[in-house]
Amino acid sequence: MRELFQAVAVGLMLLPTCALAQDFEKGVGAYDAGDYEAALRELRPIAEEGFDGAQFYLGQMYIAGQGVARDEVEAERWLRLAAEQDDALSQVMLGLIFSKGEVIEQNEAEAVYWFRRAANQDLPLAQLVLGGRYEKGNGVPQDYTEATRLYRLAAKQGLARAQLQLGWSYEVGHGVLQDNETAHMWYNISSASEGGDSAKYRDRIAERMTPANINEAQRRARVCMASDYQDCD
């Protein structure tokens, strides 16, 4: 998740003054260093002025109890302010709050609404989460074709978990024709950055393939990775 947090820093370009940009940079630096009291001191004034990046960080701090008492109601307030400004990460986190329903009342329709808004901004994490919803029929009608479409969008942006899920779609024939070779290719690609489950799935499906099929799957994986995940068909 920390890698995703770094995307918020792009918002520096949108800050109205250099002073605010410096305060935001200080706040993010303090957050990354684990000095949450200093982060709160720098970020809260900016958040109150309406900057979505700072609002996102405050939401995270209230979710985790970092420098503040854990408070999902307050987290939801800050994340909603950022999400309504189309901050995609805030939209995903807001969706997760409504999906969990621990303090805020569970609302699957609201969760899907925010996941979809973030996915429509091409955020791979949102595409993965929404794809999982369609695969399981959780808050939306079950639709393997739509699930696989969303997994593919995220996989082509290099999200290892989405690549694993796309491999699974090919292995079991969910939303696509069943294809062990393509499943092996996506598992192999995912394993390059994730390892673990991806490598296990790859090795398991290899037991049902011929050496020639495995060689072709490996060749396709090399081509796909060399093309930054665009030439993968």
Side-chain angles (χ1 to χ4, degrees):
M1 188 67 71
R2 183 171 295 275
E3 290 80 3
L4 292 172
F5 285 2
Q6 304 307 317
V8 177
V10 174
L12 287 171
M13 297 181 293
L14 304 178
L15 288 171
T17 69
C18 290
L20 287 181
Q22 291 171 357
D23 290 344
F24 179 67
E25 190 171 12
K26 287 179 185 176
V28 173
Y31 181 93
D32 288 341
D35 187 351
Y36 301 121
E37 290 185 5
L40 189 67
R41 188 167 57 248
E42 298 293 342
L43 293 173
R44 188 183 291 279
I46 306 171
E48 289 172 347
E49 291 192 31
F51 176 52
D52 57 356
Q55 291 165 345
F56 167 79
Y57 272 96
L58 278 188
Q60 295 305 309
M61 293 170 75
Y62 276 106
I63 286 175
Q66 297 168 324
V68 293
R70 189 172 184 271
D71 187 340
E72 280 203 1
V73 173
E74 190 69 1
E76 186 269 342
R77 182 175 79 86
W78 286 111
L79 289 171
R80 183 179 291 277
L81 287 170
E84 288 175 348
Q85 297 185 68
D86 276 337
D87 182 81
L89 282 176
S90 296
Q91 290 168 345
V92 171
M93 298 310 298
L94 192 57
L96 291 173
I97 286 176
F98 281 110
S99 178
K100 286 179 8 183
E102 292 182 352
V103 178
I104 304 296
E105 183 178 359
Q106 188 177 42
N107 187 329
E108 293 294 348
E110 184 85 355
V112 169
Y113 169 78
W114 289 112
F115 291 147
R116 193 183 307 282
R117 280 188 61 171
N120 287 343
Q121 294 194 68
D122 216 23
L123 184 71
L125 176 62
Q127 292 163 342
L128 172 64
V129 172
L130 188 58
R133 291 281 174 136
Y134 275 105
E135 183 173 9
K136 296 178 176 65
N138 187 1
V140 294
Q142 190 174 53
D143 187 337
Y144 291 138
T145 299
E146 180 64 6
T148 298
R149 183 187 74 83
L150 289 161
Y151 291 151
R152 191 184 307 278
L153 289 172
K156 288 195 169 188
Q157 295 187 67
L159 188 62
R161 186 68 193 185
Q163 293 164 347
L164 171 60
Q165 291 300 133
L166 186 55
W168 173 252
S169 294
Y170 276 102
E171 180 174 356
V172 298
H174 280 178
V176 290
L177 292 176
Q178 197 282 332
D179 186 337
N180 287 345
E181 186 180 290
T182 303
H184 185 288
M185 178 193 75
W186 282 114
Y187 289 151
N188 203 16
I189 291 168
S190 177
S191 73
S193 54
E194 184 178 73
D197 289 343
S198 300
K200 292 176 183 176
Y201 277 72
R202 178 200 62 204
D203 294 343
R204 185 193 65 192
I205 202 169
E207 295 175 0
R208 307 197 299 269
M209 297 169 63
T210 66
N213 290 147
I214 294 172
N215 287 337
E216 178 59 15
Q218 292 173 342
R219 183 197 67 78
R220 289 175 59 194
R222 290 193 298 271
V223 171
C224 179
M225 294 177 72
S227 70
D228 197 23
Y229 311 111
Q230 302 310 300
D231 186 8
C232 305
D233 297 324

